Amino acid sequence: MKYYFAPMEGITGYVFRNAHHQYFHQIDEYYTPFITPTQTRKLTAREMNDVLPEHNEGMRVIPQILTNQAEDFLWAAEKLKQLGYGEVNLNLGCPSGTVVSKNRGSGFLAYPVRLDRFLYEVSEGLDRLDLKLSVKTRIGKLDGDEFEELLEIYNQYPMEKLIIHPRVQLDYYKNHPNREVFRAAVQNSKNRVCYNGDLFSDEDIRMFEREYPEVNAVMMGRGLLTNPALGIEAAAARQQAAASLQMAFSPQETGEDRPALDPRTLHAFHNAVLAGYREVIPGDRNVLFKMKELWAYLGDAFADSKKQVKKIRKAERMADYEAAVANIFATCELVRDPVFLGWKQGK
């Protein structure tokens, strides 16, 4: 099984990716937050810094592009080719209202004829550039029934992979992923399929693997932000399960246990992210904003941490923030199985 880190706008930029790769392994591919090319034919400083090869050494990184204009997509793809990338990813999944209102991201799914023409032009152009295409998609804008037509379109074009988040745009991140639509995609897709959606624990991943043994890749986002070691734990659990079958006894009898998230490693990872942001972002206030975004997920990794996380969110000065973080690591234990709880708490 391959494990991919989903692009999370505002969080999983190159500073975060480098810290994660340094302290936690088992991620096969990291996807960048989307690049939005325009007719100015210029990447922003943030976009360029995020994809510079020297900022992504030692990792397999796939840049993601958000647009509904084929010529803009191909311009960005050629720029990324010049930087050494061999694959680009099309964002057809973002449910944000500001994105959808411009018929981009999952908003583009409501226009299948335009999407078909777009993919035709993009596929022709990428073939000339010798670049691979992958697509991250939702299953429709309003209803999962839309995906039957969308899959017929996708099947016309060769893709490195089709990453499916089986929610519609109106779901945002609520409701449960539509596994029936995903199952139909697995059965009927001519491209390799990857699953994305609500994989928050290694048990979630094991259950998915049992249900879809023919799928060899999953993408995780919020689960990895809550438990950065989730890829390690899932891989270890998979190896234990394989060993138990081979040796004909249960994993408990081996005397081994899958690794838990280690507080010292997690603290070092946090400090690396913080140091990286302080190096490249001017002003502590802006750095604190970025770190608080991370704690919206990381807070769920600690038991009985609501008061401590609230202190982190309220910190206005770097000294107060660092004291609040030191306090949560000193007074709160990591839960045995850190799981993102935001969907239960209305996040």
Side-chain angles (χ1 to χ4, degrees), residues 82-152:
Q82 293 168 0
L83 291 172
Y85 291 97
E87 178 182 336
V88 289
N89 181 259
L90 170 64
N91 182 326
L92 293 175
C94 180
S96 168
T98 55
V99 168
V100 170
S101 66
K102 297 176 182 177
N103 301 328
R104 299 171 180 168
S106 57
F108 202 2
L109 302 177
Y111 303 93
V113 174
R114 287 179 55 191
L115 177 61
D116 190 4
R117 181 64 187 177
F118 172 93
L119 287 172
Y120 174 82
E121 294 178 16
V122 162
S123 294
E124 291 282 307
L126 292 182
D127 188 55
R128 291 192 296 270
L129 292 171
D130 192 26
L131 270 173
K132 296 177 180 178
L133 172 69
S134 59
V135 171
K136 187 174 188 294
T137 184
R138 290 200 171 213
I139 57 174
K141 188 174 187 295
L142 304 176
D143 191 282
D145 290 342
E146 298 170 32
F147 196 68
E148 183 175 357
E149 181 180 8
L150 291 170
L151 187 60
E152 290 179 359

Side-chain angles (χ1 to χ4, degrees), residues 29-55:
E29 294 178 355
Y30 291 86
Y31 285 70
T32 72
F34 58 74
I35 292 168
T36 308
T38 65
Q39 293 181 346
T40 62
R41 295 295 185 263
K42 185 177 181 180
L43 298 181
T44 66
R46 179 195 62 79
E47 291 171 339
M48 178 59 79
N49 277 320
D50 202 42
V51 297
L52 283 174
E54 55 265 37
H55 289 167

Side-chain angles (χ1 to χ4, degrees), residues 182-199:
F182 181 76
R183 184 180 299 280
V186 171
Q187 295 171 347
N188 299 308
S189 176
K190 294 183 179 179
N191 294 295
R192 183 166 63 91
V193 168
C194 168
Y195 176 81
N196 172 227
D198 289 13
L199 296 178

Side-chain angles (χ1 to χ4, degrees), residues 23-296:
Y23 289 98
F24 304 102
H25 304 288
Q26 211 63 49
I27 299 301
D28 296 282
E29 294 178 355
Y30 291 86
Y31 285 70
T32 72
F34 58 74
I35 292 168
T36 308
T38 65
Q39 293 181 346
T40 62
R41 295 295 185 263
K42 185 177 181 180
L43 298 181
T44 66
R46 179 195 62 79
E47 291 171 339
M48 178 59 79
N49 277 320
D50 202 42
V51 297
L52 283 174
E54 55 265 37
H55 289 167
N56 294 282
E57 293 180 352
M59 299 175 282
R60 177 165 170 76
V61 174
I62 311 297
Q64 185 179 80
I65 303 172
L66 174 77
T67 183
N68 58 14
Q69 299 298 316
E71 60 271 26
D72 293 342
F73 186 96
L74 290 171
W75 172 84
E78 185 171 11
K79 184 71 174 178
L80 293 164
K81 170 76 172 182
Q82 293 168 0
L83 291 172
Y85 291 97
E87 178 182 336
V88 289
N89 181 259
L90 170 64
N91 182 326
L92 293 175
C94 180
S96 168
T98 55
V99 168
V100 170
S101 66
K102 297 176 182 177
N103 301 328
R104 299 171 180 168
S106 57
F108 202 2
L109 302 177
Y111 303 93
V113 174
R114 287 179 55 191
L115 177 61
D116 190 4
R117 181 64 187 177
F118 172 93
L119 287 172
Y120 174 82
E121 294 178 16
V122 162
S123 294
E124 291 282 307
L126 292 182
D127 188 55
R128 291 192 296 270
L129 292 171
D130 192 26
L131 270 173
K132 296 177 180 178
L133 172 69
S134 59
V135 171
K136 187 174 188 294
T137 184
R138 290 200 171 213
I139 57 174
K141 188 174 187 295
L142 304 176
D143 191 282
D145 290 342
E146 298 170 32
F147 196 68
E148 183 175 357
E149 181 180 8
L150 291 170
L151 187 60
E152 290 179 359
I153 294 171
Y154 295 149
N155 279 342
Q156 297 179 62
Y157 305 102
M159 299 178 187
E160 184 68 10
K161 61 186 80 72
L162 178 64
I163 304 165
I164 301 173
H165 184 144
R167 284 184 169 99
V168 296
Q169 182 271 327
L170 287 183
D171 286 334
Y172 285 83
Y173 294 96
K174 298 178 181 179
N175 302 321
H176 292 289
N178 190 326
R179 290 285 186 88
E180 291 307 310
V181 172
F182 181 76
R183 184 180 299 280
V186 171
Q187 295 171 347
N188 299 308
S189 176
K190 294 183 179 179
N191 294 295
R192 183 166 63 91
V193 168
C194 168
Y195 176 81
N196 172 227
D198 289 13
L199 296 178
F200 298 144
S201 69
D202 63 320
E203 177 59 27
D204 291 340
I205 297 169
R206 291 201 303 272
M207 290 177 63
F208 175 84
E209 290 177 346
R210 289 193 290 269
E211 188 172 357
Y212 302 95
E214 63 271 62
V215 178
N216 69 351
V218 294
M219 176 176 277
M220 301 170 285
R222 294 171 293 169
L224 271 169
L225 292 179
T226 300
N227 178 5
L230 180 56
I232 299 173
E233 294 184 0
R238 196 168 195 265
Q239 291 171 357
Q240 275 195 357
S244 68
L245 287 174
Q246 185 175 4
M247 301 176 69
F249 50 71
S250 69
Q252 288 79 11
E253 293 173 341
T254 66
E256 299 177 1
D257 194 11
R258 61 175 178 76
L261 186 63
D262 178 81
R264 289 174 297 179
T265 304
L266 182 61
H267 203 168
F269 160 70
H270 166 275
N271 291 344
V273 176
L274 177 60
Y277 283 149
R278 296 190 78 176
E279 184 177 339
V280 301
I281 298 176
D284 284 351
R285 188 177 185 85
N286 294 325
V287 173
L288 289 177
F289 177 78
K290 297 284 286 184
M291 295 306 298
K292 289 175 184 180
E293 283 188 298
L294 178 57
W295 278 102

